[in-house]
Amino acid sequence: MNWAREVALRIIRERPNEEVYTVASGVSPSGYVHIGNFREIATPYLVAEELKRLGKKVRYILSFDEYDRFRKVPGNIDKSYEKYIGMPYTDLPSPYTENESYATYMENRFLNELKEMGIEVECIYQTKEYQSGRYNEYIKIAMDRRKEIFTIIDAFRTQDATIEEIENYYPISIYCPDCHKDSTKILSYDEKTGNVSYECTCGYSSTLNISTATNIKLQWKVDWPMRWMVEQVTFETAGMDHSAANGSKAVSERVVREIYNYEPPVFTPYNFIGIKGGGAKMSSSKGNVLTLTDLLKVYDKNIILWFYAKYDPMHAFDIALDNDVIRYYGEFDRYVRMYFNNNTIDDKNRAIIEQTGVTKDYLNNPNFSYLATFLPIVNYNEDLLKELLRKEQINCDTKEFSERLARAKYWVETYGKDYQVKLLEEKNIEVYDSLSPLEKSWLEKTKEILENTYQTSEELQKELYSVVKTPDLSEEELKSTQKRYFQILYNLLLGTSKGPKLGLFLLALDKDRVKELI
């Protein structure tokens, strides 16, 4: 059984009487949403899909925490944005577009990526929710019971609280109407009227009433549980840092039970994702992030979902941009063929493949390794590549072929330069001189074979196999001899003992250059 099905069954077991199962995720538009953040989306999405397969009515929501304060300028944003620190993301101008907020730009960019991934989600925009007054009654509850909330939070701290801390604790931030920052200090609160007096470091001071205020934001460890209750969330996930013994999840679970009288959702933490190849370690603060847009240039959406579907959320893994890209494409393609063609796939991998949303059209995809290998050999001449691959009985006229070709080209040029197969510039005299007279005679036969015309690569492959074939060789001896012959050719052409499929490889090369090297 795959992990998403196990989680879905646990949700049903723990919350059997839900009419609608609300599965929640949330991201901050603090910058580009990178592929590590995407686990926050993919995990509940895959669980939601499993709940649907189990016949449950599901509401899948994505909350944009855009009413949070702008804390730090990401590395890829102009340093002048430091002047906006302390404002909500929706009050910042977009760094790249006109007449759009910072939050809206980042959110729309991410939603377009989700659309390309085929993921549909109900969006909740927290600035709108807070400013609409939807949360005001729950803010009032938090303010009235602030000392109880402080006691809960304090139970997870190691140092004792002072009387002053308790008296001055308020579970809210107030954005100043003048400077738009949360640089405010609460001076007094009247529980009977709901009036809050405050002042800002910019010099502004005023009194607001909680019932009508549009510039109050609950602090995180109260905001999160409050929204669980409001949206009736039954399942949510978060990074493992939130799941520590004294982390925000533990605090929030007590707050939602004791203050808002709601049972916290079933919870699954997730581990972090790294990048294998492609440069420096991913860092949002440094602006060095890999987004879904970047990843979709290398992998198609089905393979990307496959990564998240096959690894349990607490399993840390790296998404490859190095030569392992070839391996992952081959592995995924093999599972898809098994799923659609001969049904020999095991139950666990069958369920995982189904979660990727792959259709039978996927079988139109060519071998990614062929594309990545032969593109540089034909000097990126796509017409010549198609002519070559048609000799491998590959249909080069499908949408799938064109899309995979574009990804292979991007990968080879951006990340796979050390994967490129290059002919030796000089003859490998050392290997040639080590050959026996019989082995050298194989090379003479090879030059004769190359003079022929072949309609398919398989025709040439058969001719190559026959070069060393003699009646006196047993089947086992023949295989060993053929292996030796192929190793000789690879060493003379590439300087290594292995390489691309030889029949197709030789068809792609200039025959005079091949004959010269062997």
Side-chain angles (χ1 to χ4, degrees), residues 151 168 184 188 207 214 219 225 272 300 336 364 380 391 503 513:
T151 300
N168 293 327
T184 55
S188 64
T207 298
T214 59
Q219 293 174 2
F272 301 107
D300 61 63
V336 172
N364 293 327
Y380 297 93
K391 292 188 176 184
R513 180 64 179 145

Side-chain angles (χ1 to χ4, degrees), residues 220 224 228 242-244 246-254 267-268:
W220 166 243
W224 195 21
W228 286 342
H242 290 296
S243 306
N246 60 346
S248 54
K249 170 185 165 286
V251 175
S252 297
E253 287 181 338
R254 280 196 58 184
F267 186 85
T268 293

